[in-house]
Amino acid sequence: MATRTSVSAATAVDTAWALFCQFHDVPSHVHAERLVHWLGEDPRHMRAFDDALTLWALAGAGLVKPALEEARRRGSDLQ
C-alpha cells in the first residue's frame, strides 16, 4: 500500500508541476481554471502543488546563487 501512495503522490506532483508550468509559461484564464479545478478535486493536490512550487523555488535559488557569487567576485553592484 505504501508504494501505491508514493506513486499517487509522485503523480500528483507531476500533475501539479505540469499545470503550474502551463500557467507560468502561458498565463491564461483557461490554464488558471484548470489549475484551480485540479486543486479543488482533492486536498492532497494542494500539498502536491506546494511541493512543486518548493522545487521550482529551490531550482531558481540554485541558479541565482552562483550568479550572485560571480557578481560579488567581480565587484558588480546588483540592485
Side-chain angles (χ1 to χ4, degrees):
M1 186 71 167
T3 303
R4 180 182 223 175
T5 301
S6 298
V7 170
S8 295
T11 301
V13 172
D14 289 344
T15 301
W17 180 253
L19 291 170
F20 168 73
C21 287
Q22 287 173 352
F23 182 70
H24 179 271
D25 295 346
V26 183
S28 71
H29 290 294
V30 172
H31 290 153
E33 288 174 4
R34 282 183 193 155
L35 176 58
V36 169
H37 177 75
W38 181 78
L39 289 170
E41 286 179 351
D42 188 319
R44 294 172 291 190
H45 290 175
M46 186 59 76
R47 177 64 183 156
F49 186 64
D50 184 54
D51 290 346
L53 290 180
T54 298
L55 291 172
W56 180 70
L58 291 172
L63 295 172
V64 170
K65 187 175 179 182
L68 289 173
E69 289 171 353
E70 178 63 24
R72 286 187 189 117
R73 276 195 293 274
R74 293 182 184 178
S76 299
D77 185 19
L78 296 178
Q79 298 279 336

